Amino acid sequence: MKKIWQLGLTAILAVFLLAACGTATQDKPKVEGTPKSEVVTAEFPLTLTDAVGKEITLETAPATIVSMIPSNTEILFELGLADEVVGVNDYDDYPAEVAEKEKIGGQEFNVEKIVSMNPEIVFAHESGLGKGEAGLQQIRDAGIPVFVVKNAANFEETYTTIETIGQATGKTVEAEKIITDMKAKVEEVLAKTATVENKKTVFVETSPAPDIYTPGKNTFMDQMLEMIGAENIAADKENWFMIAPEEIVNRNPDVIIVLYDYIETAVADVYARPGFDTITAIKEKAVVQVQENITSRTGPRLAEGLEEIAKAIYPEAFGE
């Protein structure tokens, strides 16, 4: 079950990515759901329009918050709102303090529990709308503001998401600091990989045999590989798809990145697959495990995820 949830969440988060941003009305600042580059401010009362076009109005910065997805939670904690967060997703695991928070469920969340917490805002997510819209409406009907955060398709839209959540919570200064630090890290990584002369081909594995899945074109992972000058061998197909082991052998990647960690022998299993001994990545001992969460959660650690991917492919550029 955990494997299915992790794969599904990764695919959803990486494939449907877009972000929200802010505009202002004369009497109440208002944030629309389209990307925007200007620095926003936190002025209350504040009216926000979320990913599904619904408006909420906040008279003051919320003192109690429920976060319904790990990426939202990571943003909120990085903004310094650990005390304000009263409820989190069952799969939240970062930072460590989230273990002390009340759990509200996963994709199938506990509406009654959320309502009983009486939060001043609930941060939902566009990726959970398939099964969760009816439950979100129940929360709204209970008089609790729900803000549905849009998915982010790239780093710029991730910055906008952080900026918007920062505005909604009165933490615009903190949000800008997070964004500035992320941009600096990204520039550092791109500067190092720009000096690499021999560009490599890469296969990214998000689930093991027998059902091996990989990200293709129009995924966040494909974009990250392109940013650092690596070639995704699965870029001839769209989104996440299942690929046969024989096809991986035929495409002969220079590097294989394993993104799942729920199997302790994940890397060893790749090396041991029948027929894989002819692949360059196997012969060169270039099968590397990278933590999935920092590459799939569109939040403050995403720049760190880009760096880890770059190190896995071009360790020489980082002195490793």
Side-chain angles (χ1 to χ4, degrees), residues 243-272:
I243 186 170
E246 297 78 15
E247 188 60 29
I248 301 170
V249 173
N250 291 338
R251 300 190 184 200
N252 191 28
D254 297 318
V255 178
I256 295 176
I257 293 176
V258 176
L259 280 186
Y260 50 91
D261 58 4
Y262 50 88
I263 297 176
E264 292 184 2
T265 58
V267 172
D269 290 348
V270 172
Y271 279 115

mmCIF file of all heavy atoms in Angstrom, residues 243-272:
data_model
loop_
_atom_site.group_PDB
_atom_site.id
_atom_site.type_symbol
_atom_site.label_atom_id
_atom_site.label_comp_id
_atom_site.label_asym_id
_atom_site.label_seq_id
_atom_site.Cartn_x
_atom_site.Cartn_y
_atom_site.Cartn_z
ATOM 1 N N ILE A 243 7.997 0.876 -17.899
ATOM 2 C CA ILE A 243 8.977 0.534 -18.931
ATOM 3 C C ILE A 243 9.515 -0.869 -18.680
ATOM 4 O O ILE A 243 9.731 -1.273 -17.536
ATOM 5 C CB ILE A 243 10.122 1.571 -18.959
ATOM 6 C CG1 ILE A 243 11.066 1.317 -20.130
ATOM 7 C CG2 ILE A 243 10.862 1.602 -17.635
ATOM 8 C CD1 ILE A 243 12.067 2.459 -20.354
ATOM 9 N N ALA A 244 9.717 -1.615 -19.753
ATOM 10 C CA ALA A 244 10.212 -2.987 -19.643
ATOM 11 C C ALA A 244 11.719 -2.982 -19.382
ATOM 12 O O ALA A 244 12.447 -2.119 -19.890
ATOM 13 C CB ALA A 244 9.921 -3.757 -20.919
ATOM 14 N N PRO A 245 12.208 -3.941 -18.596
ATOM 15 C CA PRO A 245 13.655 -4.023 -18.334
ATOM 16 C C PRO A 245 14.477 -4.100 -19.622
ATOM 17 O O PRO A 245 15.551 -3.509 -19.710
ATOM 18 C CB PRO A 245 13.785 -5.311 -17.513
ATOM 19 C CG PRO A 245 12.457 -5.471 -16.851
ATOM 20 C CD PRO A 245 11.461 -4.962 -17.846
ATOM 21 N N GLU A 246 13.945 -4.814 -20.613
ATOM 22 C CA GLU A 246 14.663 -4.946 -21.878
ATOM 23 C C GLU A 246 14.855 -3.598 -22.567
ATOM 24 O O GLU A 246 15.874 -3.357 -23.229
ATOM 25 C CB GLU A 246 13.908 -5.902 -22.812
ATOM 26 C CG GLU A 246 13.788 -7.338 -22.319
ATOM 27 C CD GLU A 246 12.720 -7.507 -21.252
ATOM 28 O OE1 GLU A 246 11.882 -6.592 -21.086
ATOM 29 O OE2 GLU A 246 12.722 -8.567 -20.590
ATOM 30 N N GLU A 247 13.862 -2.731 -22.405
ATOM 31 C CA GLU A 247 13.951 -1.411 -23.022
ATOM 32 C C GLU A 247 15.015 -0.562 -22.336
ATOM 33 O O GLU A 247 15.720 0.221 -22.977
ATOM 34 C CB GLU A 247 12.599 -0.703 -22.967
ATOM 35 C CG GLU A 247 12.535 0.602 -23.746
ATOM 36 C CD GLU A 247 12.814 0.409 -25.228
ATOM 37 O OE1 GLU A 247 12.525 -0.682 -25.768
ATOM 38 O OE2 GLU A 247 13.332 1.362 -25.842
ATOM 39 N N ILE A 248 15.148 -0.723 -21.032
ATOM 40 C CA ILE A 248 16.199 -0.001 -20.295
ATOM 41 C C ILE A 248 17.566 -0.458 -20.789
ATOM 42 O O ILE A 248 18.470 0.355 -21.009
ATOM 43 C CB ILE A 248 16.065 -0.248 -18.780
ATOM 44 C CG1 ILE A 248 14.691 0.201 -18.285
ATOM 45 C CG2 ILE A 248 17.171 0.493 -18.024
ATOM 46 C CD1 ILE A 248 14.390 -0.228 -16.856
ATOM 47 N N VAL A 249 17.711 -1.758 -20.973
ATOM 48 C CA VAL A 249 18.971 -2.308 -21.487
ATOM 49 C C VAL A 249 19.276 -1.733 -22.864
ATOM 50 O O VAL A 249 20.416 -1.307 -23.143
ATOM 51 C CB VAL A 249 18.910 -3.843 -21.548
ATOM 52 C CG1 VAL A 249 20.156 -4.397 -22.245
ATOM 53 C CG2 VAL A 249 18.774 -4.437 -20.154
ATOM 54 N N ASN A 250 18.263 -1.681 -23.720
ATOM 55 C CA ASN A 250 18.459 -1.168 -25.078
ATOM 56 C C ASN A 250 18.863 0.305 -25.086
ATOM 57 O O ASN A 250 19.659 0.740 -25.917
ATOM 58 C CB ASN A 250 17.180 -1.349 -25.904
ATOM 59 C CG ASN A 250 16.877 -2.804 -26.207
ATOM 60 O OD1 ASN A 250 17.779 -3.646 -26.183
ATOM 61 N ND2 ASN A 250 15.623 -3.113 -26.482
ATOM 62 N N ARG A 251 18.326 1.070 -24.151
ATOM 63 C CA ARG A 251 18.613 2.509 -24.120
ATOM 64 C C ARG A 251 19.934 2.826 -23.422
ATOM 65 O O ARG A 251 20.455 3.921 -23.560
ATOM 66 C CB ARG A 251 17.456 3.251 -23.457
ATOM 67 C CG ARG A 251 16.146 3.053 -24.207
ATOM 68 C CD ARG A 251 15.036 3.961 -23.723
ATOM 69 N NE ARG A 251 13.786 3.665 -24.422
ATOM 70 C CZ ARG A 251 12.762 4.508 -24.507
ATOM 71 N NH1 ARG A 251 12.836 5.709 -23.948
ATOM 72 N NH2 ARG A 251 11.668 4.164 -25.155
ATOM 73 N N ASN A 252 20.459 1.863 -22.675
ATOM 74 C CA ASN A 252 21.813 1.890 -22.148
ATOM 75 C C ASN A 252 22.197 3.211 -21.466
ATOM 76 O O ASN A 252 23.100 3.930 -21.919
ATOM 77 C CB ASN A 252 22.813 1.592 -23.276
ATOM 78 C CG ASN A 252 24.224 1.351 -22.743
ATOM 79 O OD1 ASN A 252 24.405 0.907 -21.612
ATOM 80 N ND2 ASN A 252 25.220 1.663 -23.560
ATOM 81 N N PRO A 253 21.569 3.540 -20.351
ATOM 82 C CA PRO A 253 21.895 4.804 -19.669
ATOM 83 C C PRO A 253 23.284 4.797 -19.035
ATOM 84 O O PRO A 253 23.787 3.754 -18.613
ATOM 85 C CB PRO A 253 20.810 4.895 -18.592
ATOM 86 C CG PRO A 253 20.460 3.466 -18.303
ATOM 87 C CD PRO A 253 20.527 2.772 -19.638
ATOM 88 N N ASP A 254 23.871 5.989 -18.959
ATOM 89 C CA ASP A 254 25.163 6.134 -18.277
ATOM 90 C C ASP A 254 25.004 6.095 -16.763
ATOM 91 O O ASP A 254 25.918 5.694 -16.043
ATOM 92 C CB ASP A 254 25.802 7.471 -18.658
ATOM 93 C CG ASP A 254 26.124 7.565 -20.138
ATOM 94 O OD1 ASP A 254 26.625 6.571 -20.698
ATOM 95 O OD2 ASP A 254 25.878 8.642 -20.733
ATOM 96 N N VAL A 255 23.842 6.561 -16.291
ATOM 97 C CA VAL A 255 23.559 6.627 -14.862
ATOM 98 C C VAL A 255 22.141 6.137 -14.614
ATOM 99 O O VAL A 255 21.234 6.421 -15.403
ATOM 100 C CB VAL A 255 23.695 8.075 -14.323
ATOM 101 C CG1 VAL A 255 23.356 8.132 -12.837
ATOM 102 C CG2 VAL A 255 25.093 8.617 -14.584
ATOM 103 N N ILE A 256 21.936 5.409 -13.535
ATOM 104 C CA ILE A 256 20.590 5.013 -13.108
ATOM 105 C C ILE A 256 20.356 5.611 -11.729
ATOM 106 O O ILE A 256 21.151 5.400 -10.804
ATOM 107 C CB ILE A 256 20.420 3.485 -13.045
ATOM 108 C CG1 ILE A 256 20.542 2.877 -14.453
ATOM 109 C CG2 ILE A 256 19.069 3.116 -12.413
ATOM 110 C CD1 ILE A 256 20.472 1.357 -14.476
ATOM 111 N N ILE A 257 19.278 6.372 -11.598
ATOM 112 C CA ILE A 257 18.914 6.968 -10.316
ATOM 113 C C ILE A 257 17.698 6.238 -9.763
ATOM 114 O O ILE A 257 16.674 6.111 -10.443
ATOM 115 C CB ILE A 257 18.607 8.469 -10.470
ATOM 116 C CG1 ILE A 257 19.880 9.227 -10.842
ATOM 117 C CG2 ILE A 257 18.014 9.033 -9.174
ATOM 118 C CD1 ILE A 257 19.663 10.695 -11.102
ATOM 119 N N VAL A 258 17.808 5.752 -8.550
ATOM 120 C CA VAL A 258 16.718 5.062 -7.864
ATOM 121 C C VAL A 258 16.099 6.040 -6.872
ATOM 122 O O VAL A 258 16.783 6.555 -5.990
ATOM 123 C CB VAL A 258 17.238 3.808 -7.125
ATOM 124 C CG1 VAL A 258 16.111 3.147 -6.345
ATOM 125 C CG2 VAL A 258 17.855 2.828 -8.124
ATOM 126 N N LEU A 259 14.797 6.297 -7.007
ATOM 127 C CA LEU A 259 14.158 7.320 -6.182
ATOM 128 C C LEU A 259 13.320 6.774 -5.028
ATOM 129 O O LEU A 259 12.759 7.556 -4.279
ATOM 130 C CB LEU A 259 13.265 8.221 -7.051
ATOM 131 C CG LEU A 259 13.952 9.321 -7.850
ATOM 132 C CD1 LEU A 259 12.903 10.201 -8.521
ATOM 133 C CD2 LEU A 259 14.853 10.168 -6.973
ATOM 134 N N TYR A 260 13.198 5.470 -4.890
ATOM 135 C CA TYR A 260 12.393 4.918 -3.803
ATOM 136 C C TYR A 260 13.318 4.351 -2.726
ATOM 137 O O TYR A 260 14.422 3.893 -3.012
ATOM 138 C CB TYR A 260 11.446 3.834 -4.323
ATOM 139 C CG TYR A 260 12.112 2.783 -5.176
ATOM 140 C CD1 TYR A 260 12.623 1.622 -4.618
ATOM 141 C CD2 TYR A 260 12.234 2.955 -6.557
ATOM 142 C CE1 TYR A 260 13.249 0.656 -5.390
ATOM 143 C CE2 TYR A 260 12.860 2.007 -7.347
ATOM 144 C CZ TYR A 260 13.366 0.857 -6.755
ATOM 145 O OH TYR A 260 13.996 -0.086 -7.529
ATOM 146 N N ASP A 261 12.842 4.406 -1.477
ATOM 147 C CA ASP A 261 13.680 3.933 -0.374
ATOM 148 C C ASP A 261 12.947 2.960 0.539
ATOM 149 O O ASP A 261 13.417 2.667 1.633
ATOM 150 C CB ASP A 261 14.189 5.114 0.436
ATOM 151 C CG ASP A 261 13.065 5.970 0.999
ATOM 152 O OD1 ASP A 261 11.890 5.603 0.825
ATOM 153 O OD2 ASP A 261 13.365 7.016 1.607
ATOM 154 N N TYR A 262 11.783 2.473 0.104
ATOM 155 C CA TYR A 262 11.034 1.543 0.945
ATOM 156 C C TYR A 262 11.514 0.102 0.784
ATOM 157 O O TYR A 262 10.974 -0.813 1.411
ATOM 158 C CB TYR A 262 9.532 1.637 0.669
ATOM 159 C CG TYR A 262 9.135 1.553 -0.795
ATOM 160 C CD1 TYR A 262 8.902 0.326 -1.415
ATOM 161 C CD2 TYR A 262 8.981 2.710 -1.552
ATOM 162 C CE1 TYR A 262 8.527 0.253 -2.735
ATOM 163 C CE2 TYR A 262 8.593 2.642 -2.873
ATOM 164 C CZ TYR A 262 8.375 1.424 -3.470
ATOM 165 O OH TYR A 262 8.012 1.368 -4.789
ATOM 166 N N ILE A 263 12.532 -0.106 -0.063
ATOM 167 C CA ILE A 263 13.185 -1.407 -0.192
ATOM 168 C C ILE A 263 14.658 -1.192 0.127
ATOM 169 O O ILE A 263 15.349 -0.437 -0.569
ATOM 170 C CB ILE A 263 13.030 -1.988 -1.612
ATOM 171 C CG1 ILE A 263 11.553 -2.231 -1.929
ATOM 172 C CG2 ILE A 263 13.834 -3.283 -1.753
ATOM 173 C CD1 ILE A 263 11.314 -2.718 -3.341
ATOM 174 N N GLU A 264 15.155 -1.821 1.172
ATOM 175 C CA GLU A 264 16.532 -1.606 1.612
ATOM 176 C C GLU A 264 17.548 -2.037 0.564
ATOM 177 O O GLU A 264 18.641 -1.473 0.486
ATOM 178 C CB GLU A 264 16.788 -2.352 2.918
ATOM 179 C CG GLU A 264 16.027 -1.792 4.117
ATOM 180 C CD GLU A 264 16.384 -2.494 5.403
ATOM 181 O OE1 GLU A 264 17.264 -3.397 5.372
ATOM 182 O OE2 GLU A 264 15.803 -2.140 6.450
ATOM 183 N N THR A 265 17.190 -3.029 -0.234
ATOM 184 C CA THR A 265 18.131 -3.554 -1.231
ATOM 185 C C THR A 265 17.877 -2.980 -2.620
ATOM 186 O O THR A 265 18.250 -3.593 -3.624
ATOM 187 C CB THR A 265 18.018 -5.085 -1.289
ATOM 188 O OG1 THR A 265 16.648 -5.448 -1.618
ATOM 189 C CG2 THR A 265 18.392 -5.710 0.045
ATOM 190 N N ALA A 266 17.278 -1.809 -2.705
ATOM 191 C CA ALA A 266 16.868 -1.245 -3.994
ATOM 192 C C ALA A 266 18.021 -1.158 -4.992
ATOM 193 O O ALA A 266 17.905 -1.604 -6.143
ATOM 194 C CB ALA A 266 16.246 0.134 -3.783
ATOM 195 N N VAL A 267 19.139 -0.589 -4.584
ATOM 196 C CA VAL A 267 20.277 -0.435 -5.493
ATOM 197 C C VAL A 267 20.870 -1.790 -5.850
ATOM 198 O O VAL A 267 21.154 -2.074 -7.023
ATOM 199 C CB VAL A 267 21.347 0.479 -4.865
ATOM 200 C CG1 VAL A 267 22.624 0.485 -5.716
ATOM 201 C CG2 VAL A 267 20.812 1.904 -4.729
ATOM 202 N N ALA A 268 21.040 -2.650 -4.862
ATOM 203 C CA ALA A 268 21.590 -3.987 -5.114
ATOM 204 C C ALA A 268 20.696 -4.771 -6.069
ATOM 205 O O ALA A 268 21.201 -5.521 -6.926
ATOM 206 C CB ALA A 268 21.752 -4.739 -3.797
ATOM 207 N N ASP A 269 19.391 -4.597 -5.957
ATOM 208 C CA ASP A 269 18.466 -5.310 -6.829
ATOM 209 C C ASP A 269 18.619 -4.863 -8.283
ATOM 210 O O ASP A 269 18.487 -5.684 -9.207
ATOM 211 C CB ASP A 269 17.024 -5.067 -6.379
ATOM 212 C CG ASP A 269 16.708 -5.750 -5.056
ATOM 213 O OD1 ASP A 269 17.515 -6.588 -4.602
ATOM 214 O OD2 ASP A 269 15.649 -5.429 -4.463
ATOM 215 N N VAL A 270 18.889 -3.581 -8.499
ATOM 216 C CA VAL A 270 19.096 -3.088 -9.865
ATOM 217 C C VAL A 270 20.349 -3.725 -10.454
ATOM 218 O O VAL A 270 20.348 -4.190 -11.596
ATOM 219 C CB VAL A 270 19.203 -1.547 -9.881
ATOM 220 C CG1 VAL A 270 19.615 -1.064 -11.273
ATOM 221 C CG2 VAL A 270 17.877 -0.915 -9.470
ATOM 222 N N TYR A 271 21.415 -3.746 -9.675
ATOM 223 C CA TYR A 271 22.661 -4.363 -10.158
ATOM 224 C C TYR A 271 22.464 -5.843 -10.496
ATOM 225 O O TYR A 271 23.121 -6.374 -11.399
ATOM 226 C CB TYR A 271 23.762 -4.234 -9.101
ATOM 227 C CG TYR A 271 24.453 -2.895 -9.092
ATOM 228 C CD1 TYR A 271 24.348 -2.039 -7.989
ATOM 229 C CD2 TYR A 271 25.232 -2.474 -10.174
ATOM 230 C CE1 TYR A 271 24.995 -0.807 -7.963
ATOM 231 C CE2 TYR A 271 25.880 -1.252 -10.153
ATOM 232 C CZ TYR A 271 25.749 -0.419 -9.057
ATOM 233 O OH TYR A 271 26.395 0.799 -9.044
ATOM 234 N N ALA A 272 21.568 -6.511 -9.777
ATOM 235 C CA ALA A 272 21.405 -7.963 -9.924
ATOM 236 C C ALA A 272 20.405 -8.370 -11.008
ATOM 237 O O ALA A 272 20.230 -9.569 -11.252
ATOM 238 C CB ALA A 272 20.967 -8.562 -8.590
#
